[in-house]
Amino acid sequence: MEIRITEFRSSEKDQLIKFLSSGYWQFHSTPRISKEKLETQYESGYFTGEGCRTFLIKDKNADIIIGVMRLFDLGNGKDDDETPLFDIKIKEELRGKGIGKQALKWLTDFVFTNYPNKLRFEATTRIDNIAMRKVFEHCGFMKEAHYRLAWPDAEGNRYDCTGYAILRSDWLNKTKTHVNFDS
Ligand SMILES: CC(C)(COP(=O)(O)OP(=O)(O)OC[C@H]1O[C@@H](n2cnc3c(N)ncnc32)[C@H](O)[C@@H]1OP(=O)(O)O)[C@@H](O)C(=O)NCCC(=O)NCCS
């Protein structure tokens, strides 16, 4: 499926909130997000405040949101060297069709192209989120961390959590540098 990615505009707030509140996000600590919580998050700058940018994934031929990516911890301004993180959510019926891989490739290019001082780009995901972990591997991210029982679900069960990152140098050279856990 061909997609296009656009930066979220405030005129799209209702569509954004509808998309996120109508989904079931199984691997997140809050699988269902209420409209009220999203409104509060929106007002507090969660999507577009300092250090945060939000992008909408759309079908190439339709102005309908099929996914959302939120970049955060970007720091203050283009030259900040803080390591950014991201979250990605794709509409349930459209998962497993390659959209996640295309979208993360786009986002990685975006970060390293637009922020010259970013040396790393990272994210965490629950151990059993196989689709996300495959997307990381496909997009050049390496597993760097394993946090035992660090991820609670809505019922209070605890899961291990994995941490992945890609280095600017690997992105530039299209390489994957081995992580030396024994040093
Ligand atoms: C995680 C997510 C972004 C991945 O996007 P996607 O469009 O589904 O991913 P893709 O289709 O590009 O690739 C997924 C890969 O995982 C595989 N996969 C998907 N579900 C799987 C499962 N349950 N078990 C094993 N493999 C699975 C796909 O076959 C594909 O494998 P491939 O690389 O061999 O082709 C998407 O599934 C999603 O939005 N999930 C809910 C929100 C979420 O968990 N976000 C991540 C928060 S950290």
Side-chain angles (χ1 to χ4, degrees):
M1 180 174 189
E2 284 195 80
I3 59 167
R4 71 194 163 95
I5 297 172
T6 59
E7 185 151 18
F8 166 75
R9 288 171 283 131
S10 55
S11 58
E12 298 171 301
K13 177 186 163 191
D14 291 350
Q15 286 169 263
L16 175 73
I17 289 184
K18 188 172 173 203
F19 176 84
L20 292 173
S21 62
S22 58
Y24 179 72
W25 314 108
Q26 179 198 347
F27 294 107
H28 286 73
S29 301
T30 312
R32 284 201 195 283
I33 323 169
S34 69
K35 283 188 174 161
E36 294 71 29
K37 179 168 180 179
L38 287 161
E39 287 279 357
T40 307
Q41 285 179 335
Y42 186 87
E43 294 311 322
S44 71
Y46 184 79
F47 296 100
T48 55
E50 188 171 317
C52 302
R53 293 176 79 167
T54 294
F55 299 89
L56 305 179
I57 307 168
K58 296 176 180 171
D59 182 320
K60 195 171 182 208
N61 302 310
D63 195 30
I64 298 166
I65 301 176
I66 58 172
V68 171
M69 293 187 285
R70 190 176 74 93
L71 263 183
F72 55 102
D73 285 1
L74 280 164
N76 187 4
K78 291 242 168 199
D79 294 327
D80 198 299
D81 63 0
E82 187 174 350
T83 297
L85 291 106
F86 75 96
D87 182 31
I88 178 169
K89 293 184 168 81
I90 293 171
K91 199 176 172 69
E92 195 164 1
E93 312 82 276
L94 296 175
R95 291 179 201 157
K97 295 180 188 296
I99 296 172
K101 285 184 236 166
Q102 287 182 69
L104 182 55
K105 162 89 176 52
W106 184 94
L107 195 66
T108 306
D109 290 348
F110 180 87
V111 166
F112 288 131
T113 303
N114 288 285
Y115 293 90
N117 294 331
K118 302 299 188 200
L119 296 181
R120 302 166 46 77
F121 182 30
E122 32 174 271
T124 54
T125 200
R126 213 170 85 175
I127 184 96
D128 54 344
N129 195 346
I130 304 300
M132 190 66 233
R133 296 182 63 186
K134 283 197 168 187
V135 169
F136 282 137
E137 305 274 346
H138 178 85
C139 294
F141 286 62
M142 292 293 285
K143 185 179 170 192
E144 286 187 342
H146 192 115
Y147 306 98
R148 292 173 294 170
L149 300 181
W151 195 294
D153 70 8
E155 280 80 45
N157 303 305
R158 308 287 297 206
Y159 294 82
D160 287 7
C161 169
T162 55
Y164 284 79
I166 182 169
L167 302 179
R168 169 181 290 278
S169 51
D170 275 348
W171 170 76
L172 265 176
N173 300 321
K174 298 190 176 18
T175 49
K176 272 188 169 186
T177 308
H178 175 71
V179 181
N180 186 359
F181 284 106
D182 300 322
S183 60

